[in-house]
Amino acid sequence: MGRVGITIATGAVLIGVLGGCGQGTATAPGSSPASPSTAPGRAQALTVRTISVKVRNGKASGDTGQVTVPLGSPVVISVSSDVADEIHVHGYERTVKVPAASTASVAFTANKPGAFAVELENPKLALLQLQVG
Ligand SMILES: [Cu+2]
C-alpha cells in the first residue's frame, strides 16, 4: 500500500547507536555477503587490530567495554560463542553468523569515525563499544 520514498539518512555518521538493534531492520537476514572487502590500493603499513571476545552462558568476556582503534585501521573482531548467534557491528552494518561452540570473525576497515556498538543479535548482548578515531 503506502509507498515509502527516499531514505535520507544514508551516509550520515551515526551517533548514538547504543540504543540496541533498532536500526537496519530492513536488511534481509542471511543475504549479507561474507566477503571482507579490502582496499589494496591505499594500504599503508597499518597494524591489524584484533579484538577477541568470548561469550559463555550469555556473558561476554575478553576485549569488552570500550575499545579504541585508530581511524583507517584494519579491524578483526573475533567472537567465540557457546551458542549459535550473529555478530552485528553497528554503523558499519557487518553481520556474521557464529555457529554454536565456535568462533567467527568480522573483518573490516575502521574508516568511519565514531562510537559503534558490537553485539550478538539473538539475546541482544552488548559485546563492546568500538571507538574509532
Ligand atoms: Cu545489533
Side-chain angles (χ1 to χ4, degrees):
M1 282 185 34
R3 229 169 254 247
V4 181
I6 301 158
T7 306
I8 300 167
T10 309
V13 175
L14 295 169
I15 299 170
V17 293
L18 291 175
C21 302
Q23 76 201 44
T25 48
T27 47
S31 67
S32 54
S35 55
S37 57
T38 48
R42 47 178 175 164
Q44 297 166 334
L46 287 168
T47 313
V48 176
R49 304 294 165 131
T50 303
I51 299 165
S52 297
V53 179
K54 190 160 121 177
V55 176
R56 295 290 181 273
N57 299 314
K59 292 218 163 72
S61 61
D63 297 325
T64 58
Q66 182 169 306
V67 177
T68 303
V69 300
L71 184 64
S73 12
V75 173
V76 175
I77 299 176
S78 174
V79 178
S80 156
S81 177
D82 55 350
V83 295
D85 211 312
E86 189 175 58
I87 309 161
H88 180 199
V89 182
H90 282 231
Y92 290 87
E93 291 313 318
R94 297 297 177 112
T95 57
V96 169
K97 287 189 195 315
V98 50
S102 40
T103 302
S105 296
V106 189
F108 59 96
T109 301
N111 54 10
K112 271 194 275 189
F116 306 98
V118 181
E119 299 174 327
L120 285 187
E121 286 299 281
N122 293 324
K124 298 267 192 274
L125 174 67
L127 301 179
L128 59 112
Q129 163 126 354
L130 185 68
Q131 181 77 42
V132 180

